[in-house]
Amino acid sequence: MNSKQLHYFLVTAQNGSIASAARELDIAQPAISQQLANLEREMGAELLARSFKGVSLTVAGEVFARHAKKLIDDINLAKAELSQLSTITKGKIRLGMLPSIGNVLSMSLIAEVNRWHPQLDLEISTGPSYSVKEWLRTNRIDIALTYEQEIDSKYMKTYPLIEEFMYLVVGVNDSSANYQELKNRDSISFWELSQYELLTPGVKDALGRLIDKYEKESGVALKHNKAYSGQLMTGLRQVMQGEGMMILPSSAIFHLEEKSLLKSLKIINPDMTRQALIATNNGIALSDKCLWVIDVIKRVTAVEQKLMHWRGQLNTPGKLR
């Protein structure tokens, strides 16, 4: 059985006549008759009842017609997707993201792009949330991976990616009083955070605004007195050295947890979460390359979430809005 036979069968059934189908397809009538006979022989059933008036579907033919239509639709869809892939082979996609997101996604994204389209140049830039936002606004990047605090509907189209859980992160250090106090716990209430010295960014950063929001809503004032450079890697070094603790998603620290350099406690009462999103500039039409990379981002995120590297609730698949 092949797609040509399926097509001949459906056209013949629709026209009710092999002769009429031959005229529509511009093919000799005996050739169609032979293909239909071969199809019936392979299926082991009479699909068309033939008479001097033409042809009609048998009971078996009606069942087969439903499957034939689906098979043709699937073949056409596959052709369309393969055609789209053929337009992606070369070019550049500029992707901007925060260091915490880059830590969990960058290597997997690069691997996927190299696997399917090695000639497609994926240029990844990382920076603070406000920088990523500005890069997208000024068209210095094609796609941004950012947080809800930075969304501007005036020029952004967004796709919700994952609602990530937030954690209190402490260095694994037996000489640290904080670690000794927390090492056997898996969660911590938001109000308890006020007992510890924290390394936090200012409200110019999306994380700083998230923390400020939870402080205002809960009425709990946290300690922000520790000097913090605003650089994630520097902050993590400070945490590992016992110079304070940080509030972060698992995407930022899973690799250090696996090496037992850091411990994380999920923040609850209330649950502390934030929404990570894909964003594009709505003033620029999305190319096939961009759409394909967006699909890769969603698939890679699902894999990392399943591996517990990026802990949170995946968003229901949908379209850019």
Side-chain angles (χ1 to χ4, degrees), residues 97-125:
M97 62 183 75
L98 281 71
S100 57
I101 298 177
N103 185 61
V104 73
L105 292 188
S106 289
M107 291 181 65
S108 297
L109 288 176
I110 291 170
E112 280 295 286
V113 171
N114 288 340
R115 177 187 177 194
W116 294 104
H117 296 293
Q119 296 184 60
L120 180 62
D121 182 12
L122 183 64
E123 182 180 277
I124 297 178
S125 301

PDB file of all heavy atoms in Angstrom, residues 97-125:
ATOM      1  N   MET A  97      18.816  35.446  27.844  1.00  0.00           N
ATOM      2  CA  MET A  97      18.209  34.841  29.037  1.00  0.00           C
ATOM      3  C   MET A  97      18.974  35.243  30.290  1.00  0.00           C
ATOM      4  O   MET A  97      20.103  35.749  30.216  1.00  0.00           O
ATOM      5  CB  MET A  97      18.187  33.320  28.901  1.00  0.00           C
ATOM      6  CG  MET A  97      19.549  32.675  28.785  1.00  0.00           C
ATOM      7  SD  MET A  97      19.463  30.859  28.526  1.00  0.00           S
ATOM      8  CE  MET A  97      18.974  30.781  26.807  1.00  0.00           C
ATOM      9  N   LEU A  98      18.361  35.010  31.431  1.00  0.00           N
ATOM     10  CA  LEU A  98      19.019  35.251  32.704  1.00  0.00           C
ATOM     11  C   LEU A  98      19.998  34.118  33.005  1.00  0.00           C
ATOM     12  O   LEU A  98      19.798  32.991  32.537  1.00  0.00           O
ATOM     13  CB  LEU A  98      17.986  35.359  33.827  1.00  0.00           C
ATOM     14  CG  LEU A  98      17.245  36.695  33.953  1.00  0.00           C
ATOM     15  CD1 LEU A  98      16.262  36.904  32.827  1.00  0.00           C
ATOM     16  CD2 LEU A  98      16.510  36.765  35.290  1.00  0.00           C
ATOM     17  N   PRO A  99      21.037  34.378  33.794  1.00  0.00           N
ATOM     18  CA  PRO A  99      22.003  33.322  34.115  1.00  0.00           C
ATOM     19  C   PRO A  99      21.365  32.080  34.738  1.00  0.00           C
ATOM     20  O   PRO A  99      21.801  30.961  34.454  1.00  0.00           O
ATOM     21  CB  PRO A  99      22.959  34.007  35.091  1.00  0.00           C
ATOM     22  CG  PRO A  99      22.901  35.452  34.712  1.00  0.00           C
ATOM     23  CD  PRO A  99      21.471  35.693  34.322  1.00  0.00           C
ATOM     24  N   SER A 100      20.342  32.255  35.571  1.00  0.00           N
ATOM     25  CA  SER A 100      19.704  31.096  36.205  1.00  0.00           C
ATOM     26  C   SER A 100      19.055  30.192  35.171  1.00  0.00           C
ATOM     27  O   SER A 100      19.128  28.960  35.266  1.00  0.00           O
ATOM     28  CB  SER A 100      18.673  31.550  37.241  1.00  0.00           C
ATOM     29  OG  SER A 100      17.694  32.383  36.648  1.00  0.00           O
ATOM     30  N   ILE A 101      18.419  30.781  34.163  1.00  0.00           N
ATOM     31  CA  ILE A 101      17.801  29.986  33.098  1.00  0.00           C
ATOM     32  C   ILE A 101      18.881  29.400  32.200  1.00  0.00           C
ATOM     33  O   ILE A 101      18.811  28.233  31.798  1.00  0.00           O
ATOM     34  CB  ILE A 101      16.808  30.842  32.288  1.00  0.00           C
ATOM     35  CG1 ILE A 101      15.672  31.339  33.191  1.00  0.00           C
ATOM     36  CG2 ILE A 101      16.246  30.050  31.120  1.00  0.00           C
ATOM     37  CD1 ILE A 101      14.673  32.251  32.495  1.00  0.00           C
ATOM     38  N   GLY A 102      19.880  30.208  31.897  1.00  0.00           N
ATOM     39  CA  GLY A 102      20.973  29.726  31.067  1.00  0.00           C
ATOM     40  C   GLY A 102      21.675  28.533  31.670  1.00  0.00           C
ATOM     41  O   GLY A 102      22.121  27.627  30.956  1.00  0.00           O
ATOM     42  N   ASN A 103      21.763  28.502  32.991  1.00  0.00           N
ATOM     43  CA  ASN A 103      22.449  27.409  33.671  1.00  0.00           C
ATOM     44  C   ASN A 103      21.784  26.073  33.404  1.00  0.00           C
ATOM     45  O   ASN A 103      22.456  25.045  33.278  1.00  0.00           O
ATOM     46  CB  ASN A 103      22.487  27.675  35.182  1.00  0.00           C
ATOM     47  CG  ASN A 103      23.282  26.632  35.933  1.00  0.00           C
ATOM     48  OD1 ASN A 103      24.468  26.450  35.705  1.00  0.00           O
ATOM     49  ND2 ASN A 103      22.622  25.920  36.832  1.00  0.00           N
ATOM     50  N   VAL A 104      20.455  26.069  33.276  1.00  0.00           N
ATOM     51  CA  VAL A 104      19.736  24.809  33.109  1.00  0.00           C
ATOM     52  C   VAL A 104      19.436  24.481  31.647  1.00  0.00           C
ATOM     53  O   VAL A 104      19.287  23.318  31.282  1.00  0.00           O
ATOM     54  CB  VAL A 104      18.428  24.813  33.937  1.00  0.00           C
ATOM     55  CG1 VAL A 104      17.366  25.710  33.325  1.00  0.00           C
ATOM     56  CG2 VAL A 104      17.889  23.408  34.131  1.00  0.00           C
ATOM     57  N   LEU A 105      19.373  25.513  30.779  1.00  0.00           N
ATOM     58  CA  LEU A 105      18.939  25.268  29.407  1.00  0.00           C
ATOM     59  C   LEU A 105      20.019  25.375  28.342  1.00  0.00           C
ATOM     60  O   LEU A 105      19.934  24.709  27.302  1.00  0.00           O
ATOM     61  CB  LEU A 105      17.806  26.237  29.032  1.00  0.00           C
ATOM     62  CG  LEU A 105      16.455  26.070  29.722  1.00  0.00           C
ATOM     63  CD1 LEU A 105      15.430  26.991  29.068  1.00  0.00           C
ATOM     64  CD2 LEU A 105      15.965  24.632  29.686  1.00  0.00           C
ATOM     65  N   SER A 106      21.027  26.222  28.548  1.00  0.00           N
ATOM     66  CA  SER A 106      21.960  26.556  27.463  1.00  0.00           C
ATOM     67  C   SER A 106      22.591  25.333  26.811  1.00  0.00           C
ATOM     68  O   SER A 106      22.566  25.182  25.584  1.00  0.00           O
ATOM     69  CB  SER A 106      23.060  27.485  27.971  1.00  0.00           C
ATOM     70  OG  SER A 106      22.554  28.765  28.223  1.00  0.00           O
ATOM     71  N   MET A 107      23.176  24.442  27.595  1.00  0.00           N
ATOM     72  CA  MET A 107      23.899  23.305  27.025  1.00  0.00           C
ATOM     73  C   MET A 107      22.964  22.375  26.259  1.00  0.00           C
ATOM     74  O   MET A 107      23.292  21.881  25.172  1.00  0.00           O
ATOM     75  CB  MET A 107      24.640  22.542  28.126  1.00  0.00           C
ATOM     76  CG  MET A 107      25.798  23.314  28.725  1.00  0.00           C
ATOM     77  SD  MET A 107      26.689  22.388  29.994  1.00  0.00           S
ATOM     78  CE  MET A 107      27.373  21.043  29.031  1.00  0.00           C
ATOM     79  N   SER A 108      21.765  22.157  26.801  1.00  0.00           N
ATOM     80  CA  SER A 108      20.798  21.287  26.126  1.00  0.00           C
ATOM     81  C   SER A 108      20.296  21.917  24.829  1.00  0.00           C
ATOM     82  O   SER A 108      20.106  21.215  23.828  1.00  0.00           O
ATOM     83  CB  SER A 108      19.618  20.989  27.055  1.00  0.00           C
ATOM     84  OG  SER A 108      20.041  20.273  28.195  1.00  0.00           O
ATOM     85  N   LEU A 109      20.078  23.227  24.838  1.00  0.00           N
ATOM     86  CA  LEU A 109      19.626  23.913  23.624  1.00  0.00           C
ATOM     87  C   LEU A 109      20.688  23.841  22.535  1.00  0.00           C
ATOM     88  O   LEU A 109      20.389  23.563  21.369  1.00  0.00           O
ATOM     89  CB  LEU A 109      19.293  25.369  23.933  1.00  0.00           C
ATOM     90  CG  LEU A 109      18.030  25.629  24.749  1.00  0.00           C
ATOM     91  CD1 LEU A 109      17.890  27.115  25.069  1.00  0.00           C
ATOM     92  CD2 LEU A 109      16.800  25.139  24.001  1.00  0.00           C
ATOM     93  N   ILE A 110      21.926  24.091  22.914  1.00  0.00           N
ATOM     94  CA  ILE A 110      23.022  24.034  21.942  1.00  0.00           C
ATOM     95  C   ILE A 110      23.134  22.626  21.361  1.00  0.00           C
ATOM     96  O   ILE A 110      23.307  22.442  20.151  1.00  0.00           O
ATOM     97  CB  ILE A 110      24.346  24.466  22.602  1.00  0.00           C
ATOM     98  CG1 ILE A 110      24.299  25.971  22.927  1.00  0.00           C
ATOM     99  CG2 ILE A 110      25.530  24.152  21.694  1.00  0.00           C
ATOM    100  CD1 ILE A 110      25.446  26.441  23.798  1.00  0.00           C
ATOM    101  N   ALA A 111      22.999  21.613  22.214  1.00  0.00           N
ATOM    102  CA  ALA A 111      23.096  20.225  21.752  1.00  0.00           C
ATOM    103  C   ALA A 111      21.982  19.890  20.773  1.00  0.00           C
ATOM    104  O   ALA A 111      22.208  19.221  19.755  1.00  0.00           O
ATOM    105  CB  ALA A 111      23.063  19.270  22.941  1.00  0.00           C
ATOM    106  N   GLU A 112      20.758  20.340  21.051  1.00  0.00           N
ATOM    107  CA  GLU A 112      19.631  20.053  20.166  1.00  0.00           C
ATOM    108  C   GLU A 112      19.785  20.749  18.820  1.00  0.00           C
ATOM    109  O   GLU A 112      19.505  20.162  17.770  1.00  0.00           O
ATOM    110  CB  GLU A 112      18.317  20.488  20.831  1.00  0.00           C
ATOM    111  CG  GLU A 112      17.780  19.513  21.843  1.00  0.00           C
ATOM    112  CD  GLU A 112      17.370  18.194  21.209  1.00  0.00           C
ATOM    113  OE1 GLU A 112      16.326  18.140  20.528  1.00  0.00           O
ATOM    114  OE2 GLU A 112      18.113  17.201  21.381  1.00  0.00           O
ATOM    115  N   VAL A 113      20.215  21.999  18.846  1.00  0.00           N
ATOM    116  CA  VAL A 113      20.410  22.725  17.592  1.00  0.00           C
ATOM    117  C   VAL A 113      21.512  22.061  16.778  1.00  0.00           C
ATOM    118  O   VAL A 113      21.374  21.858  15.561  1.00  0.00           O
ATOM    119  CB  VAL A 113      20.736  24.204  17.866  1.00  0.00           C
ATOM    120  CG1 VAL A 113      21.169  24.908  16.572  1.00  0.00           C
ATOM    121  CG2 VAL A 113      19.516  24.916  18.457  1.00  0.00           C
ATOM    122  N   ASN A 114      22.608  21.710  17.413  1.00  0.00           N
ATOM    123  CA  ASN A 114      23.710  21.051  16.698  1.00  0.00           C
ATOM    124  C   ASN A 114      23.299  19.686  16.157  1.00  0.00           C
ATOM    125  O   ASN A 114      23.775  19.249  15.102  1.00  0.00           O
ATOM    126  CB  ASN A 114      24.920  20.894  17.609  1.00  0.00           C
ATOM    127  CG  ASN A 114      25.619  22.209  17.870  1.00  0.00           C
ATOM    128  OD1 ASN A 114      25.467  23.171  17.119  1.00  0.00           O
ATOM    129  ND2 ASN A 114      26.385  22.274  18.944  1.00  0.00           N
ATOM    130  N   ARG A 115      22.410  19.043  16.848  1.00  0.00           N
ATOM    131  CA  ARG A 115      21.955  17.718  16.418  1.00  0.00           C
ATOM    132  C   ARG A 115      21.126  17.794  15.142  1.00  0.00           C
ATOM    133  O   ARG A 115      21.307  17.004  14.216  1.00  0.00           O
ATOM    134  CB  ARG A 115      21.132  17.068  17.538  1.00  0.00           C
ATOM    135  CG  ARG A 115      20.528  15.713  17.179  1.00  0.00           C
ATOM    136  CD  ARG A 115      19.592  15.240  18.283  1.00  0.00           C
ATOM    137  NE  ARG A 115      18.955  13.981  17.937  1.00  0.00           N
ATOM    138  CZ  ARG A 115      17.905  13.483  18.576  1.00  0.00           C
ATOM    139  NH1 ARG A 115      17.385  14.148  19.609  1.00  0.00           N
ATOM    140  NH2 ARG A 115      17.370  12.336  18.201  1.00  0.00           N
ATOM    141  N   TRP A 116      20.199  18.777  15.096  1.00  0.00           N
ATOM    142  CA  TRP A 116      19.267  18.842  13.972  1.00  0.00           C
ATOM    143  C   TRP A 116      19.716  19.801  12.871  1.00  0.00           C
ATOM    144  O   TRP A 116      19.474  19.552  11.693  1.00  0.00           O
ATOM    145  CB  TRP A 116      17.879  19.239  14.476  1.00  0.00           C
ATOM    146  CG  TRP A 116      17.273  18.212  15.363  1.00  0.00           C
ATOM    147  CD1 TRP A 116      17.158  18.251  16.729  1.00  0.00           C
ATOM    148  CD2 TRP A 116      16.709  16.956  14.974  1.00  0.00           C
ATOM    149  NE1 TRP A 116      16.573  17.123  17.211  1.00  0.00           N
ATOM    150  CE2 TRP A 116      16.271  16.300  16.148  1.00  0.00           C
ATOM    151  CE3 TRP A 116      16.529  16.335  13.743  1.00  0.00           C
ATOM    152  CZ2 TRP A 116      15.673  15.059  16.117  1.00  0.00           C
ATOM    153  CZ3 TRP A 116      15.917  15.083  13.714  1.00  0.00           C
ATOM    154  CH2 TRP A 116      15.491  14.465  14.889  1.00  0.00           C
ATOM    155  N   HIS A 117      20.319  20.914  13.271  1.00  0.00           N
ATOM    156  CA  HIS A 117      20.707  21.928  12.283  1.00  0.00           C
ATOM    157  C   HIS A 117      22.077  22.507  12.637  1.00  0.00           C
ATOM    158  O   HIS A 117      22.181  23.631  13.135  1.00  0.00           O
ATOM    159  CB  HIS A 117      19.659  23.054  12.225  1.00  0.00           C
ATOM    160  CG  HIS A 117      18.320  22.591  11.745  1.00  0.00           C
ATOM    161  ND1 HIS A 117      18.107  22.158  10.455  1.00  0.00           N
ATOM    162  CD2 HIS A 117      17.139  22.471  12.374  1.00  0.00           C
ATOM    163  CE1 HIS A 117      16.841  21.805  10.317  1.00  0.00           C
ATOM    164  NE2 HIS A 117      16.240  21.980  11.465  1.00  0.00           N
ATOM    165  N   PRO A 118      23.140  21.741  12.406  1.00  0.00           N
ATOM    166  CA  PRO A 118      24.483  22.187  12.810  1.00  0.00           C
ATOM    167  C   PRO A 118      24.932  23.482  12.147  1.00  0.00           C
ATOM    168  O   PRO A 118      25.838  24.147  12.646  1.00  0.00           O
ATOM    169  CB  PRO A 118      25.386  21.008  12.408  1.00  0.00           C
ATOM    170  CG  PRO A 118      24.593  20.230  11.407  1.00  0.00           C
ATOM    171  CD  PRO A 118      23.161  20.402  11.790  1.00  0.00           C
ATOM    172  N   GLN A 119      24.316  23.863  11.022  1.00  0.00           N
ATOM    173  CA  GLN A 119      24.702  25.105  10.366  1.00  0.00           C
ATOM    174  C   GLN A 119      23.902  26.310  10.868  1.00  0.00           C
ATOM    175  O   GLN A 119      24.147  27.436  10.453  1.00  0.00           O
ATOM    176  CB  GLN A 119      24.521  24.970   8.850  1.00  0.00           C
ATOM    177  CG  GLN A 119      25.438  23.926   8.227  1.00  0.00           C
ATOM    178  CD  GLN A 119      25.308  23.896   6.721  1.00  0.00           C
ATOM    179  OE1 GLN A 119      25.557  24.895   6.044  1.00  0.00           O
ATOM    180  NE2 GLN A 119      24.909  22.764   6.183  1.00  0.00           N
ATOM    181  N   LEU A 120      22.941  26.061  11.767  1.00  0.00           N
ATOM    182  CA  LEU A 120      22.188  27.152  12.375  1.00  0.00           C
ATOM    183  C   LEU A 120      22.967  27.676  13.580  1.00  0.00           C
ATOM    184  O   LEU A 120      23.323  26.918  14.479  1.00  0.00           O
ATOM    185  CB  LEU A 120      20.811  26.671  12.817  1.00  0.00           C
ATOM    186  CG  LEU A 120      19.894  27.709  13.470  1.00  0.00           C
ATOM    187  CD1 LEU A 120      19.579  28.838  12.500  1.00  0.00           C
ATOM    188  CD2 LEU A 120      18.606  27.061  13.968  1.00  0.00           C
ATOM    189  N   ASP A 121      23.260  28.946  13.585  1.00  0.00           N
ATOM    190  CA  ASP A 121      24.059  29.563  14.645  1.00  0.00           C
ATOM    191  C   ASP A 121      23.143  30.057  15.760  1.00  0.00           C
ATOM    192  O   ASP A 121      22.358  30.985  15.561  1.00  0.00           O
ATOM    193  CB  ASP A 121      24.860  30.729  14.051  1.00  0.00           C
ATOM    194  CG  ASP A 121      25.767  31.395  15.086  1.00  0.00           C
ATOM    195  OD1 ASP A 121      25.943  30.830  16.176  1.00  0.00           O
ATOM    196  OD2 ASP A 121      26.289  32.485  14.791  1.00  0.00           O
ATOM    197  N   LEU A 122      23.234  29.416  16.923  1.00  0.00           N
ATOM    198  CA  LEU A 122      22.464  29.835  18.095  1.00  0.00           C
ATOM    199  C   LEU A 122      23.369  30.693  18.969  1.00  0.00           C
ATOM    200  O   LEU A 122      24.301  30.197  19.597  1.00  0.00           O
ATOM    201  CB  LEU A 122      21.964  28.619  18.880  1.00  0.00           C
ATOM    202  CG  LEU A 122      21.077  28.930  20.090  1.00  0.00           C
ATOM    203  CD1 LEU A 122      19.782  29.600  19.663  1.00  0.00           C
ATOM    204  CD2 LEU A 122      20.788  27.657  20.881  1.00  0.00           C
ATOM    205  N   GLU A 123      23.092  31.995  19.009  1.00  0.00           N
ATOM    206  CA  GLU A 123      23.901  32.937  19.777  1.00  0.00           C
ATOM    207  C   GLU A 123      23.179  33.242  21.088  1.00  0.00           C
ATOM    208  O   GLU A 123      22.122  33.857  21.095  1.00  0.00           O
ATOM    209  CB  GLU A 123      24.101  34.216  18.961  1.00  0.00           C
ATOM    210  CG  GLU A 123      24.969  35.258  19.634  1.00  0.00           C
ATOM    211  CD  GLU A 123      25.122  36.496  18.773  1.00  0.00           C
ATOM    212  OE1 GLU A 123      25.978  36.493  17.872  1.00  0.00           O
ATOM    213  OE2 GLU A 123      24.361  37.465  18.985  1.00  0.00           O
ATOM    214  N   ILE A 124      23.762  32.805  22.194  1.00  0.00           N
ATOM    215  CA  ILE A 124      23.133  32.967  23.515  1.00  0.00           C
ATOM    216  C   ILE A 124      23.846  34.053  24.300  1.00  0.00           C
ATOM    217  O   ILE A 124      25.071  34.025  24.449  1.00  0.00           O
ATOM    218  CB  ILE A 124      23.159  31.646  24.299  1.00  0.00           C
ATOM    219  CG1 ILE A 124      22.341  30.578  23.564  1.00  0.00           C
ATOM    220  CG2 ILE A 124      22.618  31.843  25.713  1.00  0.00           C
ATOM    221  CD1 ILE A 124      22.354  29.219  24.231  1.00  0.00           C
ATOM    222  N   SER A 125      23.056  35.001  24.794  1.00  0.00           N
ATOM    223  CA  SER A 125      23.582  36.064  25.666  1.00  0.00           C
ATOM    224  C   SER A 125      22.861  35.985  26.999  1.00  0.00           C
ATOM    225  O   SER A 125      21.641  35.777  27.052  1.00  0.00           O
ATOM    226  CB  SER A 125      23.345  37.444  25.044  1.00  0.00           C
ATOM    227  OG  SER A 125      23.970  37.554  23.778  1.00  0.00           O
TER     228      SER A 125
END
